Amino acid sequence: MRKFLATLLTGAIAVSSVITAGAANSDSIIYGDVNNDKKVSTADAVLVMRNVLGVHDLSADAVVRADVDGSGSVTIIDSIYILRHICGNIDKFPVEEKPTEAPTQKPTEKPTQKPTEAPVESPTNDCDYLYVANTDKDYYTLSYKVFEIVNQERIKAGVKPLKFNNDMYKAAMVRAEECEKSFSHTRPNGTSCFTALQEAGVKYSFAGENIAWGYGTPKDVMEAWMKSEGHKNNILNPDFTDFACGTYKSGDWTQFFCKI
């Protein structure tokens, strides 16, 4: 299992992947050490994937060590977490970070005066992890958080911030789902990725696309894109004016950049 990145501007494609080894432990259990050899390695990630595919059964103890996201079952997400730990992207697994005590709740105060108007509902919420997103608002929130980080990077580089374009967002969401079927700048129907913009009614003079797979949070995928020259060039291109990011539950992310 690898993470993938790809970028396209006038037809250029770049793909990168890295796997290294490390170890993690929590009390007497070494989470991620599926084969119980006292270290966390790619062999453990492979065992999880084989178990998910039904070609290898895990013992009860191995299941406990393999369930690194603390979901109560062994899935492909556990394999991704193990690989991320090996690559040094995370220090602890989610199961090791779960609180041991229920947080105390502050007493709420009754408002002294009823509002005269109903508050306008925010289009975003606090969702920050792609693999638990399951509503339109969750996906929009993740996309908007990527947008905010993009503009932070542009401001640091002295480049004018981009505008979030909702028509481009529709196209980016279509492309993110398509990338699950074909991780490519060519759509499953054989046409260019930019035809998705045209179908969404976006009129532009030129455009760029970044795609990625295997990242759980906006911060993680943006860090990966910024470490790749081709993706970074799209993110910091001063000629672009509008932006949108699409996400899909499979772990796929798509960025569109346009000059409108």
Side-chain angles (χ1 to χ4, degrees):
M1 181 67 65
R2 293 188 175 94
K3 294 176 181 176
F4 292 99
L5 300 174
T7 184
L8 179 63
L9 182 62
T10 63
I13 299 177
V15 179
S16 66
S17 62
V18 178
I19 295 181
T20 57
N25 58 73
S26 174
D27 300 328
S28 60
I29 298 176
I30 302 178
Y31 287 104
D33 178 21
V34 183
N35 60 9
N36 202 25
D37 62 356
K38 307 306 178 184
K39 62 183 180 181
V40 180
S41 67
T42 54
D44 298 302
V46 170
L47 283 176
V48 172
M49 287 187 283
R50 285 172 58 82
N51 176 259
V52 173
L53 293 172
V55 297
H56 180 82
D57 292 330
L58 297 178
S59 67
D61 290 340
V63 167
V64 173
R65 297 191 296 271
D67 181 23
V68 296
D69 66 352
S71 65
S73 62
V74 178
T75 69
I76 195 68
I77 304 303
D78 297 301
S79 179
I80 292 173
Y81 269 120
I82 291 173
L83 290 176
R84 290 187 63 204
H85 175 75
I86 293 169
C87 293
N89 292 332
I90 57 173
D91 295 325
K92 291 184 177 181
F93 295 115
V95 70
E96 298 174 294
E97 297 177 343
K98 290 188 175 182
T100 56
E101 297 181 1
T104 57
Q105 184 177 5
K106 294 182 179 180
T108 57
E109 297 181 2
K110 294 183 179 180
T112 56
Q113 184 177 358
K114 293 183 179 180
T116 55
E117 295 181 3
V120 178
E121 185 179 4
S122 170
T124 62
N125 56 28
D126 60 355
C127 182
D128 194 42
Y129 189 56
L130 177 57
Y131 295 113
V132 299
N134 58 17
T135 68
D136 290 343
K137 181 176 282 192
D138 289 342
Y139 292 117
Y140 188 89
T141 297
L142 292 165
S143 301
Y144 204 86
K145 287 182 178 181
V146 170
F147 165 67
E148 291 176 331
I149 300 173
V150 165
N151 276 341
Q152 290 170 11
E153 295 293 344
R154 289 175 69 90
I155 291 170
K156 285 194 296 184
V159 181
K160 184 178 179 180
L162 300 171
K163 294 180 292 184
F164 193 92
N165 187 306
N166 284 319
D167 287 333
M168 289 171 59
Y169 172 68
K170 296 174 185 176
M173 289 296 288
V174 169
R175 287 289 299 129
E177 184 173 356
E178 288 180 348
C179 282
E180 182 194 30
K181 303 173 184 176
S182 175
F183 188 76
S184 169
H185 295 294
T186 300
R187 302 179 70 183
N189 64 7
T191 63
S192 164
C193 59
F194 301 121
T195 59
L197 290 169
Q198 298 163 10
E199 291 170 1
V202 180
K203 297 181 179 180
Y204 60 92
S205 57
F206 66 95
E209 179 187 67
N210 286 347
I211 59 177
W213 173 81
Y215 298 86
T217 69
K219 179 177 180 292
D220 288 344
V221 72
M222 276 300 300
E223 285 180 350
W225 273 325
M226 287 300 292
K227 290 176 182 178
S228 169
E229 184 177 357
H231 305 90
K232 183 176 180 180
N233 288 342
N234 271 348
I235 292 168
L236 301 183
N237 189 326
D239 294 326
F240 289 131
T241 60
D242 288 57
F243 172 87
C245 177
T247 62
Y248 192 63
K249 59 187 178 181
S250 57
D252 290 282
W253 303 76
T254 299
Q255 290 181 323
F256 268 135
F257 306 81
C258 289
K259 181 175 182 180
I260 303 297

